[in-house]
Amino acid sequence: MELEKLKERMWKMGVVPVIAIESPDLALPMADALIEGGLAVAEITFRTEAAAEVIKALRQSRPDILLGAGTILSIENLEKAKECGAVFGVSPGLNPLIMKRANEIDFPFFPGVVTPSEIEQGLGFNTNVLKFFPSEASGGTAMIKAVSAPYAHLGVKFIPTGGVTINNLKEYLKLPQVLAVGGTWIAKKEMISEKRWDDIKKNAAEARAVSKRVRG
Ligand code: 3PG
């Protein structure tokens, strides 16, 4: 998917559910709960053995969902994510080896950063979309405002993740520097394993309603 289109879709959704899922059998009902809640986007993290199979299943059976891969900590994760059909990747930190490979295989990749030096490292790999992690513990919206000022003219955008919930979502989405937020609160690991689809749908709908209110 073309990067501008990807950014536009992320901005419109405003929230990227961060998912840790233990079984490919749970992938479709989980995705349907998100879609029914109006949030057709997911970051499937490589924190479980099932991640690659889940991405593959979603790509085949729910092609309309904006599908990302998260917790990409190795070149192997990165290549697998692309091969299975993810259209973007995310990592908690910035690993130059992974950045280099992502550029080589033309895979949109958003590394985790907090500091100016890390932002500039990201810019050096030609990306101006960066995960801001761990957001709340690093100062949240105040830190994002402070750190982004010298880079605004380069169009730097953040995906704050870590401590974002329905309670502070609005504060984040109001910032022009925020492309979207990421968070596990919408579909926590245990909610998925306990098949609490109605709860996931409700959380997705609540988050979507906030992003619609803030962004129109
Ligand atoms: C992540 O998994 O990327 C973050 O730890 C998510 O943080 P959260 O659980 O506070 O949303």
Side-chain angles (χ1 to χ4, degrees):
M1 180 181 294
E2 196 229 321
L3 184 61
E4 283 313 307
K5 180 88 197 149
L6 169 60
K7 283 163 72 174
E8 193 186 305
R9 281 185 67 183
M10 262 200 196
W11 188 86
K12 198 167 162 222
M13 288 292 153
V15 179
V16 179
V18 174
I19 307 287
I21 179 168
E22 298 282 4
S23 160
D25 295 343
L26 300 172
L28 300 188
M30 184 278 305
D32 289 340
L34 294 176
I35 293 166
E36 284 165 24
L39 215 47
V41 52
E43 174 194 321
I44 308 298
T45 60
F46 274 83
R47 292 175 206 183
T48 64
E49 289 290 316
E53 286 305 313
V54 168
I55 293 171
K56 214 185 277 176
L58 293 178
R59 172 51 57 237
Q60 274 164 14
S61 304
R62 298 295 180 272
D64 291 340
I65 200 162
L66 186 62
L67 187 58
T71 322
I72 292 190
L73 300 178
S74 66
I75 302 249
E76 193 192 343
N77 292 159
L78 179 80
E79 292 178 345
K80 198 79 186 160
K82 187 175 187 206
E83 182 191 313
C84 291
V87 299
F88 68 93
V90 177
S91 58
L94 190 158
N95 177 333
L97 296 174
I98 294 179
M99 294 306 296
K100 183 168 171 282
R101 187 69 187 136
N103 283 346
E104 281 167 6
I105 65 174
D106 202 18
F107 186 59
F109 193 79
F110 313 133
V113 301
V114 172
T115 65
S117 297
E118 292 160 355
I119 293 170
E120 289 177 29
Q121 233 190 323
L123 291 171
F125 284 103
N126 284 323
T127 181
N128 64 1
V129 179
L130 303 155
K131 172 167 168 164
F132 183 76
F133 177 80
S135 185
E136 280 293 291
S138 306
T141 53
M143 177 65 171
I144 293 171
K145 278 190 231 171
V147 85
S148 62
Y151 309 107
H153 66 291
L154 299 176
V156 168
K157 301 280 177 204
F158 295 97
I159 306 172
T161 305
V164 183
T165 67
I166 193 70
N167 300 319
N168 55 14
L169 176 60
K170 187 172 160 197
E171 187 192 328
Y172 277 95
L173 292 182
K174 279 188 347 204
L175 294 187
Q177 303 92 325
V178 169
L179 181 65
V181 305
T184 57
W185 90 91
I186 293 162
K188 285 204 168 289
K189 198 173 178 183
E190 62 275 13
M191 293 168 74
I192 298 170
S193 58
E194 291 164 13
K195 303 186 181 176
R196 288 161 49 198
W197 312 130
D198 283 346
D199 289 344
I200 294 173
K201 180 176 162 183
K202 182 172 147 281
N203 287 348
E206 255 175 27
R208 187 75 179 100
V210 172
S211 93
K212 270 192 185 154
R213 263 203 309 277
V214 178
R215 297 185 158 178

